[in-house]
Amino acid sequence: MLRRKVHATATTSLSRYSSTTTTTHGRHFQYLQCSKLPTLYFQRSLPRLPIPLLDNTCQRFLAAVQPLLSPSELGHTQQVLTQFREGIGMELHAKLKDIDDRNKHTSYISQPWFDMYLSDRAPLPLNYNPLLVMKSDIRPEYQEQIVRTTNLIISSLRFWRSLQNNLLEPEVYHMNPKKSDTASYRRWMKVAPKALATYASYAFKAFPLDMSQYHRLFGTSRIPRLGKDELVHAPESKHILVMRRGHMYAVNVLDSSGFIESPSVIMGRLKAVLQLDGQREAAEVPLGVLTSAQRDEWAKARAHLVKSSHNADILHREVDASLFCVCLDTPEDGVFQEENQVPLLKHLLGGKATNRWFDKSISLLISADGTASVHFEHSWGDGVAVLRYFNEVYKDTLELPFVSTDSPHTPADGDTGNVRAINFDIDNQTKSSVEEAFAKNSAVMNSLEMNLLKYPRINKKTCKQYGLSPDSIIQLSFQLAYRQAFNKYVGTYESCSTSAFRHGRTETMRPCSTATQAFCEAVLKPESSKPSANELRSMIDKCSKMHGQLTKEAAMGQGFDRHLFALRHVAQLEGVQQPDLYETEAYKRINHNIISTSTLGSDALLAGSFGPVVKDGLGIGYSIQNDFAGAIVTTYKDLADGKVFINSLESAFNKIYNIIEQSSTK
């Protein structure tokens, strides 16, 4: 893999990479990586996602719902589950196995999961599209908005071209990178039979991951249709979509041969966008707002919009087919403030939607101060592919950015062939649709509350010091926080990737367990009857062990959520009446995910956020950094109290930290 060394200034890089056509067409500029192993080297040999045994799924489901049910509810669930396992469940399981056997090229969950995403009619912002905010570049000459945008665009294109040409490093999870992420490992893999390459990699404790989603990272759009959306893909596109104050521009970033344009040319074209945009008022009818609407409403509005052949042509050619979207925000949209992050995070997560196109697979949001974020549509893929892109691009822009504030640019004023203002024919009906979508999105965003916590005493260092699993400690803290704040246990969702399998997606890990319940009840006992610190520490270790086991099962395709989901999907396909199991309070309660959590381990991540998945729920984006544990909690006003939860979470952290510290000193 070719990596570039850090240079003092971008002026040096500009002279190296854009002085001649030969240089900009060279591998060092055109590709982010030049892997010795082809990108999809392991894809053919990846194992298939297993369908769990029906008995195991039923046992795991029963264990997961136990903390959420009363004794009588649990007894009823056991009866229904037994009937399901011995009756209709067996029939559906057999049909699912048969379908899976006839589709060996994919996984049993892939198509149903796509259908689930694309059929949901809920608006994309808050309900589906997550937000990832990059750490800033501490060097002012690279943080300026257009400079950072230029560098991010170039690095994104370098990533894309590496992927297209099979030069991007295969996605491999290395248990011990010092031993397996080496030239020697790659030499052995290169001589391994391709049909067995994945299994050969296992010998190095290196686990190849599915990369089938990667091709949709760029050039992909979700198109609204009545009842069910569709994904369209334009891999040969040469331009990106740039948005500014609700106006839309198509900007060519690849030349006619598919090579990345020089840094000075790309920066010049972005500056031309600013100049064009400065010559007119903000968009009176910002069409991007329509992508925030309920999907059927947007489908109807789009169907009307494309009755005009002009609109149909430019919407398909310039918007849908763009490689990705770049949203240049203004100072009025907000800048990052460490002491008050909420206003900008809310704006980036959903905001007014006037300067967004939520249907693009990837959108780069660049605030006026250079704060950079990735906003992505979720139906096409999961966090593994997006996080790889996010990390690689961030690292690339830090190691050797191609432009700085001192870099010259190639003027593109009047170059309407490469910088094209996208202007639609808008009638009163479309204007009314935009106004309605704007009002509805504003109402939802106004009802969204966001609360943050940074807790310094629990971090990567303390977890390592005390031999703790960071994720299990955080998840245990969520359970304790909710129990002491609201006096109950609720459905809790933690996503776990199954990308170790061909066309794997995700499985649900259920952090609310009998072990976490026992610990929470013990901690909240009166002091006179509370177990000792050592006893409580033992309970923490038991929680951690169970959490690790559940995580391992989920990652190996041995959870229960996706299996039950697929069995219900088969029943729908076969026209079979929905089994009683899916009508039980147990099934409804565990799938009403009041606590929905997600974490992305990344040194590039400044913040991550998403909306609650149910109206009375909490959307918790969390991470453990080197110096703190952090959580961003979203809730809907008057339906859930995020502030109470955050205060309780700090108390829970304190209790757990004190137990750990006290038990280690005795």
Side-chain angles (χ1 to χ4, degrees), residues 219-255:
T220 300
S221 285
R222 177 169 173 168
I223 308 299
R225 305 292 187 208
L226 289 176
K228 182 182 176 182
D229 294 350
E230 67 171 310
L231 294 173
V232 297
H233 187 50
E236 303 305 318
S237 183
K238 304 287 192 295
H239 72 280
I240 60 174
L241 174 67
V242 178
M243 302 186 69
R244 172 82 170 178
R245 298 192 305 159
H247 294 299
M248 303 164 73
Y249 305 86
V251 178
N252 286 352
V253 289
L254 302 177
D255 66 20

Side-chain angles (χ1 to χ4, degrees), residues 372-393:
S373 309
V374 170
H375 202 286
F376 69 98
E377 195 280 313
H378 216 323
S379 67
W380 63 269
D382 303 307
V384 172
V386 176
L387 189 61
R388 168 77 181 276
Y389 158 75
F390 185 85
N391 286 337
E392 296 279 13
V393 167

Side-chain angles (χ1 to χ4, degrees), residues 225-489:
R225 305 292 187 208
L226 289 176
K228 182 182 176 182
D229 294 350
E230 67 171 310
L231 294 173
V232 297
H233 187 50
E236 303 305 318
S237 183
K238 304 287 192 295
H239 72 280
I240 60 174
L241 174 67
V242 178
M243 302 186 69
R244 172 82 170 178
R245 298 192 305 159
H247 294 299
M248 303 164 73
Y249 305 86
V251 178
N252 286 352
V253 289
L254 302 177
D255 66 20
S256 59
S257 299
F259 290 103
I260 303 170
E261 296 279 17
S262 71
S264 66
V265 165
I266 291 176
M267 186 160 70
R269 290 175 184 172
L270 291 176
K271 287 181 178 289
V273 167
L274 293 188
Q275 185 174 9
L276 276 173
D277 198 67
Q279 295 170 0
R280 49 183 179 166
E281 298 296 322
E284 181 183 356
V285 184
L287 279 182
V289 173
L290 291 173
T291 65
S292 74
Q294 193 264 5
R295 300 306 291 179
D296 278 346
E297 292 175 3
W298 170 207
K300 293 173 185 176
R302 179 175 170 124
H304 174 76
L305 184 68
V306 299
K307 285 180 179 178
S308 158
S309 59
H310 167 74
N311 289 344
D313 176 57
I314 60 174
L315 187 57
H316 169 71
R317 176 166 44 85
E318 304 287 40
V319 179
D320 299 339
S322 58
L323 286 171
F324 53 93
C325 182
V326 172
C327 302
L328 299 173
D329 285 348
T330 65
E332 291 74 27
D333 295 318
V335 295
F336 183 78
Q337 296 176 310
E338 177 66 38
E339 67 282 0
N340 185 20
Q341 300 178 27
V342 169
L344 181 62
L345 291 177
K346 283 186 65 175
H347 167 73
L348 295 172
L349 187 57
K352 298 176 182 177
T354 54
N355 200 47
R356 301 287 184 266
W357 197 265
F358 292 115
D359 290 357
K360 288 305 296 180
S361 54
I362 291 286
S363 291
L364 283 172
L365 318 180
I366 316 295
S367 300
D369 64 346
T371 299
S373 309
V374 170
H375 202 286
F376 69 98
E377 195 280 313
H378 216 323
S379 67
W380 63 269
D382 303 307
V384 172
V386 176
L387 189 61
R388 168 77 181 276
Y389 158 75
F390 185 85
N391 286 337
E392 296 279 13
V393 167
Y394 174 76
K395 183 179 180 182
D396 198 49
T397 58
L398 284 193
E399 287 190 349
L400 184 58
F402 288 96
V403 298
S404 75
T405 50
D406 296 328
S407 302
H409 68 274
T410 302
D413 309 343
D415 184 1
T416 56
N418 288 304
V419 181
R420 305 180 293 280
I422 303 172
N423 297 311
F424 293 89
D425 294 332
I426 297 175
D427 61 14
N428 287 334
Q429 183 171 331
T430 295
K431 183 178 180 181
S432 177
S433 296
V434 170
E435 290 172 349
E436 183 179 348
F438 179 84
K440 289 182 178 179
N441 182 71
S442 294
V444 173
M445 289 306 303
N446 288 337
S447 72
L448 184 76
E449 295 186 332
M450 186 179 284
N451 289 276
L452 283 69
L453 174 65
K454 290 176 71 172
Y455 186 81
R457 294 206 292 173
I458 292 178
N459 51 53
K460 285 183 179 179
K461 182 180 177 181
T462 55
C463 286
K464 184 176 181 179
Q465 177 185 347
Y466 293 117
L468 301 167
S469 160
D471 194 63
S472 68
I473 288 296
I474 290 285
Q475 290 289 347
L476 179 59
S477 301
F478 293 157
Q479 294 302 313
L480 178 56
Y482 201 91
R483 166 62 178 85
Q484 67 182 2
F486 306 113
N487 199 32
K488 59 181 177 179
Y489 301 97

Side-chain angles (χ1 to χ4, degrees), residues 1-10 12-13 16-17 32-33 137 139 142 148 151 155 158 391-403:
M1 179 174 66
L2 292 177
R3 297 302 301 168
R4 296 168 291 143
K5 303 297 183 181
V6 177
H7 285 248
T9 70
T12 304
S13 67
R16 284 182 62 192
Y17 291 103
L32 187 139
Q33 295 172 358
D137 193 321
R139 301 164 297 181
Y142 302 119
R148 195 164 201 211
N151 287 320
S155 292
R158 282 159 47 75
N391 286 337
E392 296 279 13
V393 167
Y394 174 76
K395 183 179 180 182
D396 198 49
T397 58
L398 284 193
E399 287 190 349
L400 184 58
F402 288 96
V403 298

Side-chain angles (χ1 to χ4, degrees), residues 109-122 124 127-128 222 227-229 295 377-380 382 493 505-506 508 562 565-566 568-569 572:
I109 199 62
S110 182
Q111 192 58 50
W113 209 241
F114 272 117
D115 291 344
M116 178 273 296
Y117 269 117
L118 294 174
S119 298
D120 197 324
R121 303 291 81 198
L124 297 186
N127 294 295
Y128 280 113
R222 177 169 173 168
K228 182 182 176 182
D229 294 350
R295 300 306 291 179
E377 195 280 313
H378 216 323
S379 67
W380 63 269
D382 303 307
Y493 181 103
R505 294 286 310 231
T506 60
T508 307
R562 298 298 178 266
F565 174 89
R568 184 171 64 171
H569 183 75
Q572 293 167 349

Side-chain angles (χ1 to χ4, degrees), residues 33-69:
Q33 295 172 358
C34 291
S35 173
K36 294 186 180 300
L37 293 175
T39 303
L40 299 179
Y41 187 76
F42 296 102
Q43 196 68 25
R44 176 184 165 192
S45 61
L46 286 173
R48 299 196 65 219
L49 181 68
I51 298 176
L53 296 174
L54 184 60
D55 281 354
N56 289 347
T57 288
C58 292
Q59 291 170 11
R60 289 164 181 153
F61 170 75
L62 189 64
V65 299
Q66 187 172 338
L68 313 182
L69 303 176

